[in-house]
Amino acid sequence: MERMKPKAVFMAFGTKGDVYPLSAIAAAFACEQKQYEVILVTHSAHQSLSSHLAEKHVEYCPVSSPPVLSADQNNDLEGLNCQLGKEDLSFSLQKKKITQDHRQECYSLIERIFGDGPTLDDIDINKFKQEVKCMVIEELYLMLQEGWSLAESFCVHCVVAAPYVVPYSAPATFESQFERELPLLSKYLTGAPSGKESAVVYDWEIDVIHWMWPLFTENWGSWRNDNLHLSSCPFTDPVTGIPTWHRRPQSPLVMYGFSKEVVECPAYWPLKVRVCGFWFPPIEWQFTCKRCKEISVCCSSGGQYATDDLCLSHLELHNFIKTNPVFVGLSSIGSMGFLKDPHAFVSVLQTVLNTTRYRFILFTAGYEPLESIVRKLAVEESSDQKKWNEDCVPLFNGQLFCFFGSLPYTWLFKQCAAVIHHGGSGTTAAALQAGTPQVVCPFMLDQFYWAERMHWLGVSPEPLSRNHLVPDKNDETSIQEAAQVLSKAIHDALSSRVKARAAEISRRISLEDGVSEAIKCLKEELGIN
């Protein structure tokens, strides 16, 4: 029988900023390694990716779980409540149910893809962040242990990839407790194999913290045991629980999608870590307007780049960008439940505009409550709605331009005076590449790391507190206080010192090609010439 193509499956879950970097690697891998059948598994909410991936010969394989789930998304959970026969289902039970369904759906997909035999060469897993707040559910989707366990179950080579820093570490007592509870496994992992250098011992000691600690933060052990019929802990026999002394499995290769110029390398990372540089998706993926994409994306000998032109329908947007505005965007923060009062947020921006000469371009990121407020204010301000484009709404005498679509950040930010954002890894990377000063207001998880890191690098002032950008109350005192803090932060970001530092960092990282470096690491790991 004719041999089937080897398969490479990339699994990426979460928001657009989490999924697009891994999608870029999948596309690049498929273009270079045409002997592979490349598949991307992600949420059905990222359906817009499917056509882009198809052009790169990547199969889009969706799962039904949502990218994010906030506690106030009651409408989306009505069916789940009815299904379970409970009128008031707690958030923890909602999470548990969705987690179970997601894991089962992922298992079924991997089983279907690899069920014909061990034809797979690689599975690339989007390593997920650990939960610290119950308000938002990001972590139920394929944390590295879940993907690693699936790969182990199907005897698949596993590579872990992450476009962000995972800001968690085990408690100080974990290693001693692990050694006490699982002495044989601890000895197995921390003891150097015969003939190996002592450095190997250090590597395995770090592995205990890096790979084992997350197993105890969720019910990974029971899922591995009950559903995958594996041992609760990796590296052990599923029947006896004794370490597999007859073989020493290597820890997975870990690839991080950020620049060495930006992130220091913590000592607790395993030795098999590769810091590649930022993973930027192709420019043509980031236009919501097809006509703008056709006009702006041009081919060159070195690849594709974006010109300064947009289509005639977005001429007003094109002209506004030429004024060198300050960008404001919070990406998926609204859908995660953090933007409880969009009107207060817009009021803060309006107050800043009333007292300064700044001009803002606001990206709504498809958050309907914010877009609804924008349209309402526009109607109150002007009765002539015919001149509006459906996705472009000017406010406050043209000082605030609201855009409901998307443009490539790496292209847009070069034309902005500063970037005000939530600290997401993708937005941070784009601002760094553009050499544009930043004002960062973190809300959760790795956003706090990026906010602090940008300040340490000197490309932004001190991070904003949440209530200084999105106050919970829309009263005059709260709005005035937030506007004063935001105005000062913008002023500090536009200082000559911060501008020079941002330009310097941009020059350094411009020499990197994160996607190409990631492909190189994958090829080395898989033994591809």
Side-chain angles (χ1 to χ4, degrees):
M1 294 179 62
E2 183 179 350
R3 177 177 172 81
M4 295 175 61
K5 276 188 173 184
K7 300 174 183 177
V9 175
F10 291 73
M11 306 186 77
F13 298 102
T15 64
K16 183 177 178 179
D18 298 318
V19 171
Y20 272 55
L22 269 294
S23 304
I25 298 177
F29 187 82
C31 290
E32 183 174 313
Q33 303 297 320
K34 300 186 184 300
Q35 74 274 23
Y36 278 81
E37 180 181 348
V38 181
I39 302 164
L40 176 76
V41 179
T42 188
H43 305 289
S44 56
H46 299 304
Q47 177 67 37
S48 59
L49 264 178
S50 60
S51 58
H52 301 308
L53 292 170
E55 293 175 356
K56 304 293 184 179
H57 308 290
V58 178
E59 179 184 350
Y60 168 78
C61 196
V63 296
S64 59
S65 53
V68 295
L69 179 66
S70 63
D72 58 356
Q73 288 176 304
N74 295 323
N75 293 336
D76 295 337
L77 296 167
E78 287 180 357
L80 176 60
N81 287 328
C82 295
Q83 179 182 350
L84 296 182
K86 296 182 179 180
E87 295 180 357
D88 185 21
L89 191 63
S90 70
F91 192 63
S92 61
L93 287 179
Q94 296 171 9
K95 172 184 173 179
K96 183 177 180 180
K97 173 61 177 173
I98 295 174
T99 300
Q100 291 173 345
D101 291 347
H102 174 82
R103 288 177 176 172
Q104 180 56 48
E105 195 169 356
C106 286
Y107 180 87
S108 298
L109 282 173
I110 297 299
E111 185 179 42
R112 177 176 62 81
I113 293 170
F114 305 141
D116 293 335
T119 58
L120 169 77
D121 278 23
D122 179 64
I123 180 172
D124 191 0
I125 297 160
N126 182 8
K127 174 182 167 187
F128 237 76
K129 297 166 279 189
Q130 186 177 6
E131 178 181 10
V132 294
K133 294 183 180 179
C134 64
M135 182 180 179
V136 179
I137 299 178
E138 278 192 49
E139 302 70 34
L140 57 90
Y141 308 120
L142 203 65
M143 193 176 173
L144 68 94
Q145 271 66 30
E146 185 169 272
W148 192 14
S149 297
L150 283 170
E152 182 182 348
S153 178
F154 287 90
C155 300
V156 168
H157 196 123
C158 176
V159 173
V160 177
Y164 40 72
V165 178
V166 183
Y168 70 84
S169 58
T173 59
F174 173 72
E175 193 169 357
S176 60
Q177 290 178 339
F178 184 86
E179 183 178 2
R180 183 172 60 252
E181 296 294 332
L182 299 165
L184 289 176
L185 183 58
S186 177
K187 179 181 178 182
Y188 174 71
L189 294 177
T190 58
S194 58
K196 298 294 184 180
E197 299 294 334
S198 59
V200 177
V201 180
Y202 179 67
D203 188 21
W204 280 104
E205 287 175 349
I206 297 175
D207 281 351
V208 171
I209 302 298
H210 195 84
W211 299 115
M212 291 298 170
W213 161 241
L215 279 174
F216 297 88
T217 61
E218 287 279 0
N219 59 339
W220 301 108
S222 60
W223 178 70
R224 285 173 54 89
N225 206 327
D226 300 339
N227 297 84
L228 301 182
H229 307 295
L230 301 171
S231 62
S232 298
C233 288
F235 310 116
T236 58
D237 183 88
V239 177
T240 65
I242 298 175
T244 51
W245 299 98
H246 58 281
R247 64 186 183 94
R248 296 267 323 192
Q250 294 294 312
S251 58
L253 170 69
V254 182
M255 301 191 306
Y256 282 115
F258 42 72
S259 171
K260 294 179 181 178
E261 298 289 341
V262 175
V263 178
E264 74 284 5
C265 292
Y268 64 80
W269 284 356
L271 295 181
K272 290 191 68 176
V273 163
R274 302 291 181 269
V275 178
C276 303
F278 291 113
W279 298 333
F280 294 111
I283 287 177
E284 64 269 23
W285 291 11
Q286 303 170 64
F287 287 91
T288 49
C289 175
K290 293 183 179 179
R291 185 58 183 154
C292 283
K293 180 185 74 172
E294 292 171 355
I295 293 175
S296 299
V297 179
C298 299
C299 294
S300 67
S301 58
Q304 291 185 321
Y305 66 98
T307 68
D308 292 339
D309 299 321
L310 298 177
C311 71
L312 292 177
S313 298
H314 291 103
L315 183 61
E316 191 174 1
L317 171 63
H318 173 77
N319 291 334
F320 189 86
I321 292 174
K322 284 185 175 180
T323 66
N324 199 222
V326 174
F327 173 88
V328 183
L330 298 180
S331 189
S332 56
I333 287 302
S335 61
M336 290 180 180
F338 288 103
L339 194 54
K340 296 184 181 300
D341 192 340
H343 194 280
F345 170 55
V346 176
S347 296
V348 171
L349 300 181
Q350 181 182 19
T351 304
V352 173
L353 293 174
N354 289 340
T355 57
T356 66
R357 291 186 174 184
Y358 304 136
R359 293 163 68 88
F360 289 149
I361 179 168
L362 171 64
F363 274 32
T364 61
Y367 185 51
E368 195 280 330
L370 176 58
E371 294 180 357
S372 178
I373 289 295
V374 168
R375 294 189 188 280
K376 179 181 178 181
L377 291 174
V379 170
E380 294 174 356
E381 187 175 292
S382 174
S383 59
D384 185 11
Q385 302 179 32
K386 294 182 179 179
K387 65 178 182 180
W388 301 346
N389 191 301
E390 62 179 9
D391 57 3
C392 298
V393 177
L395 286 178
F396 313 139
N397 297 319
Q399 287 183 285
L400 174 64
F401 196 95
C402 305
F403 184 50
F404 302 158
S406 66
L407 294 171
Y409 277 179
T410 52
W411 169 79
L412 173 65
F413 290 172
K414 291 180 181 179
Q415 305 178 69
C416 293
V419 177
I420 302 172
H421 64 99
H422 62 302
S425 59
T427 309
T428 302
L432 285 169
Q433 188 193 51
T436 307
Q438 305 177 46
V439 175
V440 190
C441 179
F443 290 80
M444 59 186 296
L445 299 169
D446 63 317
Q447 296 167 12
F448 291 96
Y449 172 84
W450 290 116
E452 290 292 344
R453 190 61 184 160
M454 293 306 100
H455 179 51
W456 296 338
L457 287 174
V459 300
S460 76
E462 290 187 8
L464 298 179
S465 297
R466 186 189 309 173
N467 61 318
H468 289 147
L469 191 60
V470 288
D472 292 332
K473 297 181 180 179
N474 194 11
D475 59 79
E476 185 176 355
T477 301
S478 300
I479 299 301
Q480 288 292 338
E481 179 184 353
Q484 290 176 7
V485 174
L486 181 57
S487 296
K488 183 180 184 304
I490 298 172
H491 176 270
D492 293 344
L494 295 178
S495 68
S496 58
R497 177 183 58 83
V498 174
K499 286 182 178 180
R501 183 60 174 162
E504 178 187 352
I505 297 295
S506 175
R507 285 193 296 270
R508 291 183 185 179
I509 67 175
S510 66
L511 302 175
E512 300 174 344
D513 186 344
V515 172
S516 295
E517 183 64 23
I519 298 303
K520 177 183 175 182
C521 293
L522 277 176
K523 289 167 62 179
E524 291 176 355
E525 181 72 5
L526 298 175
I528 301 174
N529 295 324

